[in-house]
Amino acid sequence: QKNLSLLFPQQVELAKVLVEMGQTHLFQHWSEPGVDDDDDKRAFFDQIAKLNSSYPGGLAAYITTARELLADSKAGKNPYDGFTPSVPLGEVLTYGDDSFVQFEEAGIKEAQKAAFVLVAGGLGERLGYNGIKVALPRETTTGTCFLQHYIESILGFQEARCSLARGDCRAEIPLAIMTSDDTHLRTLELLEKNSYFGMKPTQVKLLKQEKVACFDDNEAHLALDPSNKYRIQTKPHGHGDVHSLLYSSGLLKVWHDAGLRWVLFFQDTNGLLFKAIPAALGVSTTKQYHVNSLSVPRKAKEAIGGITKLTHSDGRTMVINVEYNQLDPLLRASGYPDGDVNSETGYSPFPGNINQLIFEIGPYLEELTKTGGAIKEFVNPKYKDATKTAFKSSTRLECMMQDYPKTLPPSARVGFTVMDAWLAYAPVKNNPEDAAKVPKGNPYHSATSGEMAIYRSNSLILRKAGVKVDDPFIQVFNGQEVEVWSRVVWKPKWALTFSEVKRKVSGNCSISQKSMMAIKGSNIALEDLSLDGALVIEAVDGAEVKVGGSMQNKGWSIENVDYKDTSIPEEIRIRGFRFNKVEQLEKTYTEPGKYSLTP
Ligand code: UGB
């Protein structure tokens, strides 16, 4: 009360709202007015004003929803009450077969009408990495970071667009990146420092999401920052913010008006994803899906949602992601006493959502015009114990981008596409310690597995294209047992589809297990190549290089490193290995022309 004399009328109103909403604890430590901290008190109200204005209905609505959701969570109430889950039918693709190749061809054409949206506002709490996740190397053979790889992949589609359009290359494929206060500046810095990795700066739009207030307990008391008692702790509201941002920024409308047809959403650290995009986009256009979610076979209890058909007792049905923390209780409550378990196939019967979503822009914009992009929220507190009375750390309301179809009418065409995990999904989400505790047979989702998955995928693709690639070794890094395949990487412009890989590989090619090969150029053809060592080829556009013959050198060895060894850079030690460049053949072609590289 005494402090109110310090405040402006709007601030008095906000203070009253807080008091009415049971938040008096926020003021308990406040000193007498004028004694000290006046600036801090003003800053406190600035923050409250921002939290209040950036949430529909203001803080009162936010706290009210939180109380309801926290009570439901404590009572173990299932948000899917009344719904019966069953396994849905989707488009199941097999890499490299005729229909896959046809879908890829259709998808590459449709990429001409696509816009990409990267959601990269997450803290990456589970990984515990100090930098932004998109700056992490996707693989350490070339050190290319995730963001560079994503941009180069999109530019690859753009190039494909150019060749399809026979020279008309004016149109650029747009990329929007959702950031948050945690990632915004560092994302911008990464882009600027690297000249946007080849994109035009105007081609990339950053949309910053605002954070929401955190709660300390089930009564939804707002959590004060332990290091500043005049600040409310805040955390990201979740990737679901992307819809309201695309709408409120006007970007979606700009894309729609420019004649684009598809929006493709993707996450910060999936190094395989772009291998799956052409075929998935092909499915969207062929099946005329308004919404298409990419999924992979899911191991029970894996931290990815399950795509589920939900049938309500009133007859409604929808095919939707059920998040990993909700799938088990939903199944137990609806006649599956064992909950989230593998079937006889060794996988959960529910395909795993990898949050790669493809929306058709027209119906999407129409829907957002009605909803403004609002998405249903949820709360996921981490309780200290089974009494569910205290949290391990503060919690907040969240929303997820894949919940978008929940508000769609039954007439909406919502589908999903299942791909092999080796092709489509290898996220970097878990720190080494937690990854080492993942039950045997379940994916680690770590920096170690994320990188090894790239080599596995590329090796398997080359095998399908007729190259003899040795079987992998099994090795343990940071306590995780992984398959170590030949370290083969290529730039997206070398090949975006299986047909392109096949076009660039001919004769009898073989690659030994100890080999590494980095292909950095679009016109590099492998012909009767037998590689046993390390080979790095770089070529400018316009240089056509044929690589063949028996190439042998000592190559790059792999050394174990310990994630606890702080003398090693964090990006490396979280993998548990590093390469030792003993010997390699490295060749760079800087001028257009025709070349042949033989031993
Ligand atoms: N993200 C944001 O941009 N803003 C935020 O506020 C939060 C996150 P996580 P999560 O495919 O592996 C999702 O934390 O949420 C970005 C799906 O819900 O990595 O636990 C963040 O930067 C789940 O169904 O994942 O789980 C990152 O790029 C499953 O599909 C992305 O959102 C799982 O991902 C995902 O955030 C998966």
Side-chain angles (χ1 to χ4, degrees):
Q1 190 66 35
K2 282 181 244 154
N3 277 291
L4 290 182
S5 58
L6 266 175
L7 307 176
F8 296 114
Q10 304 98 306
Q11 293 174 328
V12 174
E13 281 312 304
L14 286 174
K16 281 187 188 155
V17 170
L18 289 174
V19 171
E20 275 161 22
M21 294 308 296
Q23 306 293 332
T24 46
H25 68 288
L26 298 176
F27 305 101
Q28 262 157 16
H29 59 277
W30 281 34
S31 54
E32 292 294 312
V35 173
D36 56 18
D37 300 338
D38 287 355
D39 288 346
D40 290 334
K41 288 169 187 167
R42 286 198 187 90
F44 171 84
F45 274 105
D46 285 349
Q47 189 198 11
I48 294 290
K50 193 169 167 198
L51 290 171
N52 192 54
S53 64
S54 60
Y55 186 86
L59 265 176
Y62 180 67
I63 294 166
T64 305
T65 310
R67 285 209 181 112
E68 285 165 22
L69 291 173
L70 284 164
D72 287 353
S73 169
K74 181 163 188 250
K77 192 171 161 203
N78 194 323
Y80 295 101
D81 261 357
F83 283 100
T84 308
S86 59
V87 180
L89 279 178
E91 192 65 41
V92 182
L93 304 188
T94 305
Y95 186 81
D97 72 7
D98 288 349
S99 96
F100 186 90
V101 167
Q102 277 163 17
F103 280 131
E104 278 199 326
E105 270 169 25
I108 283 287
K109 282 191 198 129
E110 282 306 296
Q112 300 176 63
K113 299 176 222 147
F116 286 81
V117 180
L118 165 62
V119 290
L123 275 168
E125 274 167 330
R126 281 188 271 156
L127 183 66
Y129 173 59
N130 277 313
I132 51 168
K133 288 171 76 182
V134 289
L136 273 173
R138 170 181 177 255
E139 35 77 19
T140 51
T141 293
T142 63
T144 305
C145 72
F146 281 104
L147 188 54
Q148 176 171 3
H149 171 74
Y150 295 150
I151 288 183
E152 287 179 348
S153 300
I154 296 167
L155 290 173
F157 289 127
Q158 202 170 293
E159 279 297 306
R161 161 193 281 191
C162 287
S163 37
L164 286 168
R166 301 205 198 290
D168 178 10
C169 303
R170 283 163 302 163
E172 290 151 8
I173 297 183
L175 167 66
I177 307 177
M178 182 169 78
T179 56
S180 68
D181 279 325
D182 294 315
T183 62
H184 186 81
L185 284 179
R186 285 178 289 177
T187 307
L188 191 60
E189 243 171 56
L190 181 67
L191 285 165
E192 284 177 348
K193 216 171 73 193
N194 293 285
S195 312
Y196 285 73
F197 297 111
M199 265 192 180
K200 294 206 180 124
T202 48
Q203 202 173 343
V204 186
K205 293 270 180 292
L206 265 51
L207 302 173
K208 185 159 81 69
Q209 61 176 150
E210 292 302 331
K211 291 184 187 177
V212 288
C214 296
F215 304 105
D216 265 336
D217 53 31
N218 285 324
E219 286 70 47
H221 285 115
L222 292 172
L224 284 171
D225 186 332
S227 60
N228 180 353
K229 55 193 175 158
Y230 292 101
R231 238 194 117 64
I232 309 282
Q233 273 184 53
T234 58
K235 283 186 185 167
H237 189 211
H239 32 76
D241 280 346
V242 74
H243 304 299
S244 57
L245 282 171
L246 281 176
Y247 182 70
S248 62
S249 65
L251 201 52
L252 196 63
K253 178 138 189 349
V254 170
W255 291 345
H256 182 257
D257 293 350
L260 298 183
R261 188 171 170 213
W262 306 105
V263 191
L264 292 93
F265 297 90
F266 64 108
Q267 307 194 133
D268 49 18
T269 59
N270 182 3
L272 291 181
L273 180 72
F274 275 84
K275 294 183 185 299
I277 282 181
L281 192 50
V283 170
S284 278
T285 182
T286 311
K287 305 267 163 190
Q288 299 181 334
Y289 283 155
H290 296 167
V291 173
N292 182 12
S293 311
L294 249 76
S295 59
V296 296
R298 174 181 182 275
K299 285 282 185 183
K301 303 190 176 62
E302 193 178 339
I304 62 177
I307 307 272
T308 309
K309 179 170 182 185
L310 294 174
T311 308
H312 199 269
S313 43
D314 65 13
R316 274 177 294 149
T317 62
M318 61 178 161
V319 174
I320 193 85
N321 172 69
V322 175
E323 197 59 334
Y324 44 91
N325 60 321
Q326 293 174 332
L327 188 60
D328 188 78
L330 168 63
L331 292 171
R332 284 178 199 275
S334 38
Y336 300 84
D338 298 329
D340 180 14
V341 286
N342 291 326
S343 69
E344 63 286 350
T345 60
Y347 287 90
S348 157
F350 299 92
N353 163 52
I354 61 169
N355 250 10
Q356 158 66 54
L357 308 168
I358 305 178
F359 291 2
E360 187 172 350
I361 291 187
Y364 179 43
L365 181 60
E366 211 173 293
E367 178 68 11
L368 292 198
T369 310
K370 289 184 223 145
T371 64
I375 290 288
K376 217 170 158 343
E377 291 163 300
F378 67 97
V379 71
N380 186 17
K382 306 278 184 288
Y383 297 108
K384 270 196 179 140
D385 57 40
T387 64
K388 293 188 172 179
T389 45
F391 305 158
K392 284 187 193 158
S393 59
S394 65
T395 192
R396 81 291 197 185
L397 298 192
E398 293 174 76
C399 57
M400 301 189 294
M401 66 173 172
Q402 67 271 33
D403 277 347
Y404 165 77
K406 281 186 176 168
T407 60
L408 293 181
S411 57
R413 298 180 62 90
V414 180
F416 70 96
T417 306
V418 188
M419 304 243 188
D420 293 312
W422 66 260
L423 178 74
Y425 187 60
V428 177
K429 300 206 181 199
N430 287 330
N431 62 60
E433 213 162 319
D434 290 344
K437 288 184 211 147
V438 165
K440 203 171 160 52
N442 272 26
Y444 297 116
H445 296 180
S446 67
T448 313
S449 60
E451 175 160 356
M452 287 302 167
I454 311 281
Y455 306 134
R456 178 169 191 249
S457 179
N458 287 345
S459 296
L460 289 174
I461 290 172
L462 286 183
R463 267 192 181 177
K464 290 239 177 227
V467 178
K468 190 185 152 298
V469 182
D470 275 357
D471 283 338
F473 284 176
I474 302 291
Q475 225 164 317
V476 176
F477 302 111
N478 280 345
Q480 303 153 56
E481 195 179 272
V482 286
E483 287 182 1
V484 182
W485 290 75
S486 313
R487 273 71 62 210
V488 178
V489 287
W490 57 76
K491 288 267 184 205
K493 65 179 167 186
W494 186 68
L496 289 162
T497 60
F498 181 53
S499 308
E500 268 186 279
V501 173
K502 279 206 300 195
R503 270 201 300 277
K504 287 177 176 169
V505 170
S506 61
N508 284 324
C509 290
S510 65
I511 299 177
S512 72
Q513 194 280 337
K514 81 160 209 216
S515 295
M516 74 71 79
M517 175 167 68
I519 304 177
K520 306 175 182 181
S522 46
N523 279 313
I524 296 170
L526 312 181
E527 202 179 289
D528 295 318
L529 169 72
S530 158
L531 179 64
D532 183 33
L535 174 63
V536 182
I537 318 169
E538 188 159 0
V540 290
D541 292 346
E544 283 176 40
V545 189
K546 251 188 201 151
V547 187
S550 169
M551 305 216 178
Q552 226 176 352
N553 56 47
K554 293 200 183 97
W556 293 13
S557 61
I558 308 182
E559 239 171 58
N560 274 72
V561 296
D562 187 339
Y563 71 91
K564 294 192 201 103
D565 183 349
T566 51
S567 68
I568 297 166
E570 193 181 4
E571 302 78 69
I572 301 296
R573 77 181 125 91
I574 56 172
R575 286 157 216 274
F577 61 85
R578 69 175 159 203
F579 297 118
N580 187 7
K581 300 180 183 181
V582 184
E583 196 186 358
Q584 66 188 32
L585 172 63
E586 189 167 4
K587 196 87 186 148
T588 304
Y589 299 89
T590 53
E591 298 296 328
K594 287 193 187 237
Y595 304 92
S596 166
L597 177 63
T598 46

